[in-house]
């Protein structure tokens, strides 16, 4: 794969030099297409190796930022930050987790077998817990989010199944950080 990408880049460079020297517009366009194809190959390779995943948004909990049926690109290696949007495994309504967490190098087929939620990070481990994070746990206010846990909230609080309903989400249940919606 690396050889194909390298050959494509060399071809694109040679085409660009030729088109510049001879003033040929078609070769320049061909070079752009070649570079785009090589870039696509690199992205495909990253997805195939499990660095990225694509997930479909289900529900209205993140409206208006993310809508039902939209697809989002998820980075499985980006750091978690307050305010960032993540895809996290969906627990049962009682907050129980079915099975073991997804393994780090899981393939697309494994990912598609799970149910996912999209939520915004409100607090990370060590951050202070505020009343809007866990309204049903007043004794937690002012304390720190436990290690390995996250406070996740939906943007559309009226309909969101999030930390206000079930408490902390285990960080190990996070698939990754949303890096881009794939809008049409």
């Amino acid at each position: 794969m690396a050889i194909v990408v390298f050959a494509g880049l060399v071809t694109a460079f040679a085409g660009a030099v030729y088109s510049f020297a001879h003033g040929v517009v078609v070769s320049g366009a061909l070079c752009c297409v070649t570079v785009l194809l090589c870039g696509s190959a690199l992205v495909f390779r990253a997805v195939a190796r499990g660095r990225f995943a694509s997930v479909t948004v289900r529900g209205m909990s993140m409206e208006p930022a993310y809508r039902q049926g939209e697809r989002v690109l998820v980075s499985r290696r980006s750091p978690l930050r307050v305010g960032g949007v993540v895809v996290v495994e969906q627990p049962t309504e009682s907050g129980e987790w079915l099975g073991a967490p997804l393994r780090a190098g899981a393939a697309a087929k494994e990912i598609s077998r799970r149910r996912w939620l999209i939520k915004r990070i409100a607090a990370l481990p060590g951050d202070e817990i505020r009343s809007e994070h866990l309204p049903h746990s007043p004794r937690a206010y002012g304390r720190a989010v436990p290690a390995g846990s996250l406070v996740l909230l939906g943007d559309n609080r009226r309909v969101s199944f999030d930390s206000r309903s079930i408490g902390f989400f285990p960080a190990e249940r996070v698939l990754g950080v949303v890096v881009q919606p794939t809008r049409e």
Side-chain angles (χ1 to χ4, degrees):
M1 176 62 93
I3 293 171
V4 171
V5 171
F6 179 72
L9 290 174
V10 168
T11 302
F13 179 73
V17 169
Y18 178 85
S19 65
F20 179 74
H22 295 90
V24 179
V25 175
V26 174
S27 290
L30 182 61
C31 291
C32 290
V33 169
T34 305
V35 169
L36 287 172
L37 288 175
C38 290
S40 297
L42 288 172
V43 169
F44 176 77
R45 184 174 180 210
V47 169
R49 288 189 170 190
R51 292 182 185 143
F52 293 93
S54 180
V55 176
T56 302
V57 175
R58 305 258 182 254
M60 301 181 307
S61 71
M62 287 298 290
E63 286 186 355
Y66 300 91
R67 299 192 181 283
Q68 168 78 16
E70 272 186 321
R71 298 202 45 87
V72 293
L73 183 63
V74 179
S75 169
R76 302 203 52 208
R77 295 188 178 177
S78 292
L80 302 178
R81 294 188 175 103
V82 171
V85 177
V86 295
V87 172
V88 63
E89 191 169 355
Q90 180 177 335
T92 64
E93 286 189 30
S94 63
E96 300 294 318
W97 302 96
L98 303 175
L102 191 67
R103 63 185 180 80
K109 196 171 201 174
E110 282 182 81
I111 293 169
S112 69
R113 290 186 190 132
R114 309 262 178 137
R115 294 186 53 91
W116 302 100
L117 300 171
I118 181 169
K119 302 293 174 201
R120 192 168 304 279
I121 299 173
L124 295 167
D127 290 350
E128 183 180 324
I129 300 167
R130 298 192 315 251
S131 60
E132 65 269 18
H133 294 161
L134 304 172
H136 304 298
S137 303
R139 286 188 279 172
Y141 306 160
R143 294 195 177 158
V145 175
S149 299
L150 303 168
V151 175
L152 303 177
L153 302 175
D155 288 356
N156 187 356
R157 306 280 164 92
R158 226 174 8 95
V159 297
S160 185
F161 177 66
D162 55 28
S163 288
R164 293 169 304 128
S165 307
I166 66 160
F168 301 112
F169 280 80
E172 67 186 358
R173 296 291 178 160
V174 172
L175 176 63
V177 176
V178 174
V179 291
Q180 176 179 344
T182 53
R183 303 195 196 285
E184 288 153 34

